Amino acid sequence: NMTNKILELIKKNHTLTPKSVGDFKTFKAKGMKFQCSAFDAEGLGHVSLMRAKGFFGLMKMDTLVVAPIDKDLPLLSYDRIYAMGNDTLIIELYDTMGDKKVSLSSIANVKSRFAHLPERFAEGEEPKHWYDSIRLPETTSKKGKKCSESFDEYTLAYISEYLRIDADSCDRNEKIARTDVYANGLVTNGGPATDVFKQQFGEEKTSNIIRGVLFGTK
C-alpha cells in the first residue's frame, strides 16, 4: 500500500510515535468503513492516515496528511481514490508558512517530470474552492486507468522532495493556528468526506475527526 511506503519515507528521518485517535480508530459512515491512525513525527509534526472502503470493495480511498508544526513547511495532503477502474491521485500543498517561504522548485521539477501523466481536470475546468487562496501551485491532481504504477512512482518522487526541503524550525503554536485555518475551514465549508461526516455525526464530532485526528490542531 502506498500510504505505508510514504510512512516509511517519513520514518527515515523522523521517529514516528503513535497518537491516540480515541473512538475514530474504526467507524462507519454512509456505507463506507473508515480506519484512522495518527503519529507524532519527531522534528516534523503531525502525520495522519485515513483509509476508507465501501460499496463492496469497489471504492477505496486513502488519505495521508503531513501537518508540519516543528518545521516551517507547507501542509501536505495526499489522497488516492480507486473507483470504477479509475485511479485518482491528488497531492495538495497548503501555505501554512510564516513570512520566510521555503523554495518549492524541487517539487515543481518533479511535477514537470511527470507532466505526461493524465490530468484530473482539463485546463480551466477545475472547480473553484474556498481554499484556493492558500493552495500552492505545486499541488498536483491526476486521474486515469491503468496508471497506478506511474502514479506510485510520481507520489514517492514528489513526497521524497517535500521531505528533503531544508526548512527552519518554527513557533509551534503559531504553526498550529495557521494549520487550523485550513482544518477548521474544512469543517465549516465542507468537502466530500467532511459532508459525509457532518450528515452522520454532526459538526462537533466532525471537528474532532478533521481537526483532532487528521490535522492535529484540536
Side-chain angles (χ1 to χ4, degrees), residues 1 3 27 29 32-36 49-55 57-64 78-83 86-88 90 191-194 196-197 210 214:
N1 182 290
T3 47
F27 61 91
M32 301 277 288
K33 190 176 178 191
F34 292 83
Q35 278 182 309
C36 291
L49 183 54
M50 182 169 75
R51 293 191 177 130
K53 273 184 189 161
F55 309 108
L58 294 176
M59 183 175 172
K60 287 198 303 198
M61 183 177 81
D62 287 343
T63 298
L64 185 139
Y78 161 88
D79 285 287
R80 196 72 176 268
I81 303 146
Y82 304 94
N86 276 309
D87 186 353
T88 303
I90 307 159
T194 317
V196 168
F197 297 155
I210 303 290
L214 280 186

Side-chain angles (χ1 to χ4, degrees), residues 5-30:
K5 288 182 180 169
I6 297 170
L7 288 178
E8 288 302 320
L9 275 183
I10 296 169
K11 245 188 241 179
K12 277 183 188 168
N13 292 306
H14 306 280
T15 306
L16 291 180
T17 309
K19 289 167 100 164
S20 166
V21 293
D23 299 340
F24 301 120
K25 203 169 178 181
T26 55
F27 61 91
K28 284 182 179 160
K30 286 269 182 244

Side-chain angles (χ1 to χ4, degrees), residues 80-97:
R80 196 72 176 268
I81 303 146
Y82 304 94
M84 325 308 172
N86 276 309
D87 186 353
T88 303
L89 163 68
I90 307 159
I91 308 176
E92 294 176 307
L93 292 179
Y94 291 94
D95 188 354
T96 56
M97 297 177 285

